Amino acid sequence: MTRLIPYIVCLLLALACVPAAAQPPVVTYGTKFTFAFPEGADGLVDPFGNGDSSTLILHLISRAPGSATITSPSGYSTKFCYDSTLGADIVLPHWLMLIPGQGKSQKGLVLRTTSPVQVELLDKFNAGGEMTQIYPDSSLGTDYRIATWGLYNDPGEDNKTEFVITAPYDNTSVTVTPSVRPIGRPDASPFTFTLNAGECYIVKADITAAPTATSLSGSFVQASKPVSVITALTCGYAPLGDEACNELLNMPLPRGYTDTVFLTAPFSTFEGYSLIFVSDDPNFFVVQPGGFTYTSVNGVAVVPFTLGSQEYLTTSPAQCYQLSSGYDRTRDGMSDPSMITVLPRSQWLDSVEWFSPDLADPVFGTPFPNYISVVYPQTAESKIMIDDVPALTLATPQPIAGTPYSNMVIEIPAGRHHMTSPEPMYAFASGFSIADAYSFNVGERLPTAVPGPVDSIRSTVVFDTLQEPTMCQDFDVAVRLIRPGADPIETVHSVLTFDPTYFTYVGYRNGPLADANAFTLSAATNTITIDLSATPISAVSDTICILHFHCATLPGSSPMSMNSTLTKSEPICETATRFYRSDLGIIAVNQIEQAAFAFQIVSSHAGVQTTGVFSLVSPAADPIRSVELFVRYDHDVLYLTSISGGALVGSNILPSPIRRLDDSTDEVTVSFSPQLTQPGELLLLHFDVFVADSASTLVTCTTNLSNDRPCPLTIVAPASSATFTLLDTCSTPILREYLQHIPLSLKRIVPNPTSGRIDLHFDRILPKGSYRVTVSDVLGHTVAQFSGLTTDETDTLGSFLLTNVVSGIYFLNVDVAGFRETARVLVRN
C-alpha cells in the first residue's frame, strides 16, 4: 500500500463526480435460466467427520402462480408448481454438482417458467453453504472477466478455485484465457471448446497452481453467443490465511458492466470485509479515501481488509467484488466468508425484492440472523421503505465520508421482503452463524400481476367404508378432476381439511394427472395443499393423486372437506388471468377389493381359430365397467384377431381396437354396459393359430379393471401358471412411498450441545413406522443405539439419554424404511 502524490489524488477523487457509464439495466427476472452447480465443500476433509453433502436448492420468487420445468442434457428433468406468495423451494439431486473432474459436462440445467420469476441458488451445507442470484438468459453476455479468491488449505484439504460456463444455445464456441494453469491443462495458454444448450464447462485450479490472493482472478471468457458464468471456491479464507473458510459462490455480471467509483458497505454488525477489483487494464490501481492506493497485478487488485462504509476509485473501468471477513485466530470477525458483486451505479434500483432463507444452525444450535445492507443517496433517506415500514425506524444510518451517500444494515427475519426508494439504491442480503454464511445481490421487484375473479368450489367427501363401526381402518382418498366443460384448465389449487382427532395423513401416490403435469403437495397436521399446473390439463376426467390416511377413531360423520380453485391463465406475455368454473371431486376408496379371475384357452391346430375365455370366478365388490388387457403370447404361434363379450357382457361390448406393442404383447381396452359384479364369462379372445399344438403356448394377461374406484385393480398371471392374482393398487406399501416424495428432515436437536437427554425435532409430522437412532463417533464407531422406536404422530422423536457417552462431536443417524437422516451433536459430559 502506497501514498499517491496530491495532484493524482485530486484527479482520481474528481471521478466521483462523473456519472456512471450508460449501461443497459441487468434484468433479474425472466422465464428462462441456464446455469450449473460448481463444486462446493463436499469433497474436502471435514474436521467433524466426512458424512456431509450439500443440499442444492433453487428458490423462486413470483408475482403470479405458474409451473416450471428443469431439464438437463444429463437426462435429469423435473416439473413443479409455484405460487405468488411462497414461491417454491426446489431441491435438486446432489449428483448434479460438478465435484469430480473438470472440463466439459452434461450436468448443466435449463429452467423454464410460465410466468416471470427471480431465482436464488442456495448450496446448503453445514458450516460451508452459500447463495447467489441467478440472472436470466436475457441478461447474460458473451465476455466475462473472472474474479475468484485465493487458496489456503487446512491440513489434508484439497481446495479448488473455479468457474463454470453454461450455454443456453447450441453451437456456442467459447475461448478461455486462464490467469493460471487450470487442472487438466498443460499450461495457462488460451483454449477453445464448443457447448450445446444446457452443456457446461468447469475450469478449476488447485493449491499447487497459485496459492495467492488472486488465483484464477483475471481469467477471460469470450463466447460466440451469450453464456452463463458462476464463480466459486470450495472453501475460501478471507483474509487469506485466517482459519474460517467457506464456499464462495457468485454469478458475475458480463464484462461490460464496469465503473470507476464503487460504494461499499458492511455485510452485518461486524464492519470488516475484503475487496477484489478486476479490469482489462493490467496496470490500474485503486484509491481509498485519504490517498491510500492498491496497485494491480495483471489486471487484479486486492484490498485484503477494510472497515465500514467506503468509497473506492479506480484509474480504469473495473469490476468490484466484496467478501465478508471470516474469524481470525483471535476469534475476531463475523463468521465464515461470503462473496458478492459490488454493483456499478448504472445497476442501482429504486425497488428490490428478495427471499431470505431460514437456516437454523444444526451444528452448534445457534441462531442464523439475516441482514439487508443498502447504500443510497442521503436525499432519499427518509422515504426508504422496507416491507412498507420506514427503514429509519429499523437501523441507524452511517454516512459514507466525503460523499452524498449513506448506508444502513438492517437485521430482518427469514422470508420474502421488498424495499423501495425514491432514488436508485444498491442492496445486498446476507446471513451469518458461528461457522456459516451466505450473501447475494437482491433483484429488482417483479411486475405486478393483475388478478381476476376466483371461483371457489367446495366438495364434501362421504366415506361409505366408514359408516360401520367395524370398518375404521387405513383408507385411501382419491383427488380427481371432473371436466364437464370444454375449457382447458392450467392450474388447480386445492386445500383438503380433515379432523386430526380421527384421521392422520400418512402419504400419497401420484395419479395420471400428477405424473403428466407439474405437481406439488404439502401436508400439515390437519390440511393438505395440492397444486397442479400444465399446458393445459385436457383430460376429461382423471385422478390427480391418492392420499393415504390412518383412521384412529371412528367419527360419527366424515369430517373432511376440500376447497379448490381452478384457473385458466393467459399467455405469459399478458398479466391478466381469467378463471373458469369447473368441478373437482374427491372420492373415498375401499382398501381391499376381493375378486378372482381365470383364463382358459381351447386346444387347437395350425390354420384354424381358437378362443381364450376370460372369466370372473368370484363376485366383485364394485361394479366393473371396463377392462384394460395386456395380453402376452408368442406372435409367431398365435395372433389375437378380435375380442367379443362373454356370457356376462354379450353384445354390450364396445369396439376395442388392438394395439401391437411388441413381438409378444398386445394392448386392448374393452368397455361394456351394464356394470358387472356377478361371476361368469367376461370376454372371449379370438386367435388365429399359425403353428400346430398351440395348446402348449402360454397366454398370460396383465389386466386393469376400471370401476367406481380411482385405484384400478391389476390382475397378474405368473408365467408358470394359469392362476391369476388380483392386486389392488391402493394398498401398496405406503411409508416408503411417502418418504420418497417427502423425505425426513431433522430440523434441530434440543439441546445441542447436550450433557445428557436430547429430543429430535423434525420439520413435519413423522409417519407411522419403526425408527432406529444410532449415535456414532467421527470414526464411524457406534456408541449408542435405540431401536424399535415409534411415534405418536408428532414432529418429535425421543427423548434419548447420552449420559454414558464421553464428551465430543458425534453423528446422530435416524433410520426408517431404508431412509436415513443425519445430523451432528456435541456432547459435554
Short mmCIF file of all heavy atoms in Angstrom, two decimals, residues 192 228 232 277 289 446 467 486 556 594 612 658 667 672 677 686:
data_model
loop_
_atom_site.label_atom_id
_atom_site.label_comp_id
_atom_site.label_asym_id
_atom_site.label_seq_id
_atom_site.Cartn_x
_atom_site.Cartn_y
_atom_site.Cartn_z
N THR A 192 -10.09 -23.47 -26.51
CA THR A 192 -11.42 -23.25 -27.08
C THR A 192 -12.20 -24.56 -27.08
O THR A 192 -11.63 -25.63 -27.29
CB THR A 192 -11.32 -22.69 -28.51
OG1 THR A 192 -10.59 -21.46 -28.48
CG2 THR A 192 -12.70 -22.43 -29.11
N SER A 228 -23.76 -18.32 -19.46
CA SER A 228 -23.87 -18.12 -18.01
C SER A 228 -22.53 -18.48 -17.37
O SER A 228 -21.91 -19.47 -17.75
CB SER A 228 -24.98 -19.03 -17.46
OG SER A 228 -24.80 -19.30 -16.09
N ALA A 232 -16.70 -19.78 -8.10
CA ALA A 232 -16.83 -20.46 -6.81
C ALA A 232 -15.46 -20.76 -6.24
O ALA A 232 -14.43 -20.67 -6.93
CB ALA A 232 -17.64 -21.74 -6.96
N PHE A 277 -10.69 -6.25 -7.19
CA PHE A 277 -11.02 -5.50 -8.40
C PHE A 277 -10.37 -6.18 -9.59
O PHE A 277 -9.21 -6.62 -9.52
CB PHE A 277 -10.50 -4.06 -8.30
CG PHE A 277 -11.12 -3.23 -7.21
CD1 PHE A 277 -10.66 -3.33 -5.90
CD2 PHE A 277 -12.16 -2.36 -7.48
CE1 PHE A 277 -11.22 -2.57 -4.89
CE2 PHE A 277 -12.73 -1.60 -6.47
CZ PHE A 277 -12.26 -1.70 -5.17
N PRO A 289 -10.16 6.49 0.23
CA PRO A 289 -10.15 7.83 0.81
C PRO A 289 -8.92 8.05 1.69
O PRO A 289 -8.50 7.17 2.43
CB PRO A 289 -11.44 7.85 1.64
CG PRO A 289 -12.34 6.92 0.94
CD PRO A 289 -11.47 5.82 0.41
N LEU A 446 -40.54 -7.56 -9.03
CA LEU A 446 -41.19 -8.12 -10.20
C LEU A 446 -42.40 -7.30 -10.60
O LEU A 446 -42.99 -6.60 -9.77
CB LEU A 446 -41.64 -9.55 -9.90
CG LEU A 446 -40.49 -10.56 -9.83
CD1 LEU A 446 -40.67 -11.48 -8.66
CD2 LEU A 446 -40.45 -11.36 -11.12
N GLN A 467 -68.99 -46.07 7.53
CA GLN A 467 -70.32 -45.96 8.14
C GLN A 467 -70.57 -47.06 9.17
O GLN A 467 -71.45 -46.92 10.01
CB GLN A 467 -71.39 -46.00 7.05
CG GLN A 467 -71.35 -44.75 6.18
CD GLN A 467 -72.40 -44.77 5.09
OE1 GLN A 467 -73.09 -45.75 4.91
NE2 GLN A 467 -72.51 -43.68 4.36
N ALA A 486 -65.51 -27.65 -21.80
CA ALA A 486 -64.51 -27.80 -22.85
C ALA A 486 -63.28 -26.93 -22.62
O ALA A 486 -62.28 -27.09 -23.29
CB ALA A 486 -65.13 -27.44 -24.21
N GLY A 556 -68.47 -39.89 13.94
CA GLY A 556 -69.90 -40.03 13.73
C GLY A 556 -70.28 -39.70 12.30
O GLY A 556 -71.22 -40.23 11.75
N GLN A 594 -62.07 -57.76 -3.21
CA GLN A 594 -62.00 -59.21 -3.27
C GLN A 594 -62.58 -59.70 -4.60
O GLN A 594 -63.74 -59.44 -4.92
CB GLN A 594 -62.78 -59.82 -2.10
CG GLN A 594 -62.25 -59.46 -0.73
CD GLN A 594 -60.87 -60.04 -0.49
OE1 GLN A 594 -60.50 -61.03 -1.11
NE2 GLN A 594 -60.12 -59.42 0.40
N GLY A 612 -59.81 -67.90 -26.38
CA GLY A 612 -59.48 -67.85 -24.95
C GLY A 612 -60.65 -67.25 -24.20
O GLY A 612 -61.27 -66.28 -24.66
N ILE A 658 -57.11 -53.31 -31.28
CA ILE A 658 -55.98 -53.99 -30.65
C ILE A 658 -54.68 -53.31 -31.10
O ILE A 658 -54.44 -53.12 -32.30
CB ILE A 658 -55.97 -55.48 -31.03
CG1 ILE A 658 -57.28 -56.14 -30.55
CG2 ILE A 658 -54.76 -56.18 -30.44
CD1 ILE A 658 -57.47 -57.54 -31.10
N GLU A 667 -52.16 -54.79 -26.59
CA GLU A 667 -52.90 -53.98 -25.62
C GLU A 667 -54.28 -53.70 -26.19
O GLU A 667 -54.42 -53.37 -27.36
CB GLU A 667 -52.17 -52.65 -25.36
CG GLU A 667 -52.92 -51.70 -24.44
CD GLU A 667 -52.29 -50.31 -24.42
OE1 GLU A 667 -52.23 -49.69 -25.50
OE2 GLU A 667 -51.89 -49.87 -23.36
N PHE A 672 -67.91 -51.84 -21.53
CA PHE A 672 -69.20 -52.50 -21.69
C PHE A 672 -70.18 -51.94 -20.67
O PHE A 672 -69.82 -51.27 -19.70
CB PHE A 672 -69.08 -54.01 -21.52
CG PHE A 672 -68.16 -54.43 -20.42
CD1 PHE A 672 -68.56 -54.41 -19.10
CD2 PHE A 672 -66.86 -54.80 -20.70
CE1 PHE A 672 -67.72 -54.78 -18.09
CE2 PHE A 672 -65.99 -55.16 -19.69
CZ PHE A 672 -66.42 -55.16 -18.37
N THR A 677 -70.92 -57.37 -11.58
CA THR A 677 -70.41 -57.80 -10.27
C THR A 677 -70.43 -59.32 -10.13
O THR A 677 -69.63 -59.88 -9.39
CB THR A 677 -71.26 -57.20 -9.14
OG1 THR A 677 -72.63 -57.57 -9.32
CG2 THR A 677 -71.12 -55.69 -9.09
N HIS A 686 -60.24 -64.08 -29.45
CA HIS A 686 -60.18 -64.92 -30.64
C HIS A 686 -58.80 -64.83 -31.27
O HIS A 686 -58.31 -63.74 -31.58
CB HIS A 686 -61.26 -64.50 -31.64
CG HIS A 686 -62.63 -64.47 -31.03
ND1 HIS A 686 -63.33 -65.61 -30.71
CD2 HIS A 686 -63.43 -63.42 -30.68
CE1 HIS A 686 -64.50 -65.28 -30.19
NE2 HIS A 686 -64.59 -63.95 -30.16
#
